[in-house]
Amino acid sequence: MGNSTTASGAPAPSAAPASASGTAAPAAPGRSGEARRMTKKAPAASSRASGSGHAERVFLVQTAFAELGGSAHGPGEIAEFTGLDDSVVYRILQSGIYQRIFERVDRGLYRLRTSAAQLAFTALDHRLDGAQSVLRDLRTATDGGLAFLYMVAPFSGAQRQCVDMAVGDSDLAELGMTPRDVLSVTRSLRTGASGRTILAYLPEVLQQRVLAEPVPDQAGPGVYRDNDALVESLAEVRDLGHALGYEECMAGWNSCAAPIMWDGSIMGAVLLLKLKSVMPVAPDSVIEATKEAAAELSRYGAARPDADRD
């Protein structure tokens, strides 16, 4: 947690297309999905061959809701993003309403139903079994550093929450960490090494939401207050695969963080925290240990190629 830099090795998130139409009418005759794909080069469909099956088109529409950001979208916007024909998207949305996958929130606007969240929670079940052991090993490898596991908050998409830690017999209150620090300052993605690590891999639409937020009042003296400097630090995070924080969240504490990536998506970050008096600058040994802990937790969530072949 501190004014720093650092990065990751995964590709930078692609910018989400701007909001588009909310009309529910089918596409004009003759405007095929293939033609749209050639002219718009929609990111979600560009790597796939057209006409590859109804199931794939349904998945493309579902994915569009997640990648576009925002609360609701119209068939035209989704069609433009996926490269599918407007009429195809409209039929999928109507069928999805009946199947309780989508819901219509306004004339011509749709969103995912909350049942989609249940699917996500089911997919995450047991993925982090063993995380405590990884954090304890990190604490040992860094000579008593405080190890924390932060994950993207499930109900915001642009915040983080601490879900596990290895701090030994340390009393966080005696170390100057109050509940307010944990619940407010460290929740923001614009503060701290772990916050900026997660922010670096979020879609641009969510990054812009975070950049529009004020800096928490209780942030440390090293927090990034200038948005241009903050954005520049995110590029370093992606380049280096880790972030170094210098008193970003709290005075007197420096940190190192590395990203947890599951199937190409940012899920959280491992954070190693030490007193500034003990770690004025993070040594290579701390950086490598933190990155290895994050890599181990990334492996927990990765799809298994052997299983895919079965």
Side-chain angles (χ1 to χ4, degrees), residues 113-204:
R113 288 182 63 93
T114 53
S115 56
Q118 183 61 50
L119 293 175
F121 292 143
T122 301
L124 293 176
D125 190 30
H126 301 307
R127 286 288 183 101
L128 287 175
D129 287 352
Q132 177 61 208
S133 177
V134 173
L135 295 178
R136 286 199 300 267
D137 289 346
L138 175 59
R139 176 172 165 77
T140 300
T142 55
D143 193 25
L146 306 182
F148 297 84
L149 171 59
Y150 280 93
M151 301 296 284
V152 176
F155 297 111
S156 72
Q159 291 184 333
R160 59 182 159 146
Q161 65 182 57
C162 181
V163 299
D164 204 352
M165 66 182 74
V167 298
D169 296 329
S170 301
D171 184 334
L172 297 185
E174 292 180 356
L175 296 175
M177 298 182 194
T178 68
R180 172 170 288 186
D181 292 326
V182 176
L183 297 178
S184 61
V185 179
T186 63
R187 186 172 58 195
S188 171
L189 293 183
R190 64 176 300 146
T191 59
S194 62
R196 290 185 296 105
T197 294
I198 294 172
L199 182 61
Y201 295 99
L202 287 179
E204 185 178 358

Side-chain angles (χ1 to χ4, degrees), residues 45-280:
S46 58
S47 62
R48 292 168 163 73
S50 62
S52 55
H54 177 70
E56 183 175 0
R57 291 193 288 269
V58 172
F59 292 141
L60 283 174
V61 171
Q62 289 178 302
T63 302
F65 279 96
E67 295 188 3
L68 281 169
S71 59
H73 304 284
E77 182 181 4
I78 296 170
E80 184 170 358
F81 184 75
T82 60
L84 298 173
D85 191 86
D86 298 58
S87 60
V88 171
V89 171
Y90 181 74
R91 288 195 297 270
I92 290 173
L93 291 172
Q94 293 306 304
S95 177
I97 291 175
Y98 178 76
Q99 298 296 334
R100 302 177 64 81
I101 297 173
F102 310 116
E103 62 182 349
R104 186 164 51 208
V105 296
D106 199 352
R107 182 177 179 82
L109 292 177
Y110 301 78
R111 67 184 178 193
L112 290 170
R113 288 182 63 93
T114 53
S115 56
Q118 183 61 50
L119 293 175
F121 292 143
T122 301
L124 293 176
D125 190 30
H126 301 307
R127 286 288 183 101
L128 287 175
D129 287 352
Q132 177 61 208
S133 177
V134 173
L135 295 178
R136 286 199 300 267
D137 289 346
L138 175 59
R139 176 172 165 77
T140 300
T142 55
D143 193 25
L146 306 182
F148 297 84
L149 171 59
Y150 280 93
M151 301 296 284
V152 176
F155 297 111
S156 72
Q159 291 184 333
R160 59 182 159 146
Q161 65 182 57
C162 181
V163 299
D164 204 352
M165 66 182 74
V167 298
D169 296 329
S170 301
D171 184 334
L172 297 185
E174 292 180 356
L175 296 175
M177 298 182 194
T178 68
R180 172 170 288 186
D181 292 326
V182 176
L183 297 178
S184 61
V185 179
T186 63
R187 186 172 58 195
S188 171
L189 293 183
R190 64 176 300 146
T191 59
S194 62
R196 290 185 296 105
T197 294
I198 294 172
L199 182 61
Y201 295 99
L202 287 179
E204 185 178 358
V205 64
L206 294 180
Q207 289 183 350
Q208 292 302 317
R209 183 192 303 177
V210 173
L211 291 173
E213 296 174 356
V215 175
D217 292 338
Q218 299 81 16
V223 68
Y224 285 89
R225 297 186 179 276
D226 179 76
N227 278 354
D228 290 339
L230 177 57
V231 170
E232 184 177 344
S233 81
L234 302 183
E236 289 191 24
V237 171
R238 295 189 295 269
D239 288 341
L240 301 177
H242 67 278
L244 298 178
Y246 299 103
E247 299 186 279
E248 284 187 52
C249 289
M250 293 172 290
W253 290 91
N254 290 342
S255 57
C256 177
I260 299 171
M261 309 291 294
W262 288 358
D263 298 331
S265 298
I266 185 69
M267 297 301 295
V270 171
L271 176 72
L272 191 284
L273 189 65
K274 277 197 165 189
L275 284 166
K276 176 183 177 181
S277 59
V278 176
M279 188 179 74

